[in-house]
Amino acid sequence: MTFNFNTPMTFYEFLALCLSVLALILPLIKTIYKTWIQQPKLKFLPAGRTYLYFNQSGSYIRIDGVYEANVKPVSVKNIAIKIVRQKDDRVLNLSWGTFISPVNQSMVGTYVNTTECAHPFRIESNSMVCTFTEFSDAFDAFGKAFRKNTTVLFNKVAEIQLVTPNYQVAYEKYTKLPEYAEAKRFVEREFFWDIGKYSIEIKTDYNSSFNKPKVFLYTIVVGEAEHENLVQNIDESLLSPLKSAYGVKLNYHSPIVELQERN
């Protein structure tokens, strides 16, 4: 089609010109929109299972779920969580530490999981990635304080073992030490998992042009049974070197609670 610009264009000629120009620039507009304007959509789909822990590393948590990326690929750079105990607003801040394999391997009747250190990962567009994640204290603040407050107590193990060949007798001596009572008071003060409701924020940093992390909101409830199991871990954390010296198996508890979505 040719246009004579020396004479006024008719409406149909003007319309044809506009459509031609639009056809030329539309692919460019689409490219600009998809590349610089359109944002990826990230979702977290929890499996519902949340494992609670307490040991010599302190109070921490494992959350099972998958991330889903839509529209564009997503690169997840970091995942952190904030847990608030609602009865007194005490806060526990944790960062991703370990990815747990969702595949169980049976080893002589015992199921085991493989683990890997948490690291940035990519999710292709319109696909999912499994993230069974154990969150822990990135700076090991509790672990350092625990070692400082139990050094004197743990040094007593070698002395007891020299004169006491039986574990049960050694246990009675060890747990009656004033150093044991002092260390236990420290651990009880730092223990986080009381009975009650907790708010959880999962903050995920990813490749958004707006540079705003995605926050997913949930709640969990620690009941009496879960609390009793976790409280037993206080003594277990203090008994660890004694049990190791006598070849007695550790008996930590890690109860499971339901992760519920919060609006």
Side-chain angles (χ1 to χ4, degrees), residues 5-263:
F5 293 99
N6 293 323
T7 59
M9 285 189 294
T10 66
F11 171 77
Y12 296 106
E13 289 174 334
F14 177 74
L15 180 61
L17 177 61
C18 290
L19 291 174
S20 300
V21 173
L22 184 62
L24 290 173
I25 67 172
L26 190 58
L28 178 61
I29 294 174
K30 287 182 177 179
T31 299
I32 293 173
Y33 175 74
K34 289 182 178 180
T35 305
W36 288 290
I37 300 176
Q38 190 177 37
Q39 294 298 306
K41 295 182 179 179
L42 182 66
K43 296 180 181 178
F44 179 69
L45 308 174
R49 296 184 303 275
T50 300
Y51 297 78
L52 306 182
Y53 301 98
F54 183 84
N55 52 37
Q56 293 185 5
S57 296
S59 302
Y60 59 104
I61 194 170
R62 166 183 159 185
I63 297 177
D64 292 354
V66 298
Y67 277 100
E68 179 182 11
N70 291 312
V71 179
K72 298 173 73 174
V74 166
S75 293
V76 175
K77 301 176 181 178
N78 184 61
I79 308 172
I81 63 171
K82 176 183 177 182
I83 308 172
V84 180
R85 194 166 66 189
Q86 293 190 1
K87 73 174 187 178
D88 58 4
D89 291 330
R90 184 176 172 183
V91 176
L92 180 65
N93 290 303
L94 303 172
S95 182
W96 62 356
T98 306
F99 291 142
I100 313 296
S101 170
V103 178
N104 290 322
Q105 297 178 333
S106 180
M107 308 255 320
V108 196
T110 302
Y111 289 99
V112 296
N113 297 102
T114 57
T115 64
E116 62 178 307
C117 292
H119 55 80
F121 58 91
R122 178 181 171 89
I123 312 171
E124 297 302 328
S125 178
N126 302 315
S127 64
M128 297 180 178
V129 168
C130 179
T131 53
F132 289 13
T133 309
E134 190 175 281
F135 296 89
S136 57
D137 179 3
F139 301 102
D140 192 31
F142 176 86
K144 293 173 182 175
F146 180 88
R147 290 187 288 274
K148 179 180 178 181
N149 284 271
T150 56
T151 298
V152 176
L153 171 66
F154 288 177
N155 287 339
K156 298 287 184 180
V157 172
E159 299 174 15
I160 293 174
Q161 192 179 20
L162 283 174
V163 296
T164 311
N166 179 273
Y167 170 74
Q168 192 57 43
V169 177
Y171 169 85
E172 296 296 333
K173 289 183 178 181
Y174 182 74
T175 55
K176 289 178 181 177
L177 290 171
E179 292 86 355
Y180 187 91
E182 184 179 350
K184 188 171 181 177
R185 284 193 293 269
F186 158 75
V187 177
E188 287 174 337
R189 286 196 304 269
E190 298 299 318
F191 184 78
F192 185 72
W193 302 119
D194 285 350
I195 296 173
K197 193 173 185 179
Y198 296 74
S199 301
I200 295 180
E201 297 180 6
I202 304 176
K203 186 175 75 171
T204 307
D205 290 312
Y206 67 109
N207 59 319
S208 168
S209 297
F210 295 111
N211 252 348
K212 292 181 65 176
K214 183 78 173 181
V215 178
F216 305 95
L217 305 177
Y218 298 95
T219 61
I220 59 171
V221 175
V222 177
E224 185 176 347
E226 293 83 18
H227 177 257
E228 288 180 359
N229 279 334
L230 288 161
V231 164
Q232 292 178 43
N233 292 348
I234 293 176
D235 282 305
E236 201 67 17
S237 67
L238 298 174
L239 290 170
S240 175
L242 186 73
K243 286 191 170 185
S244 177
Y246 285 87
V248 178
K249 185 178 179 181
L250 292 172
N251 188 29
Y252 282 111
H253 298 273
S254 52
I256 303 172
V257 295
E258 181 182 0
L259 189 70
Q260 299 178 326
E261 191 169 358
R262 175 164 58 100
N263 295 327

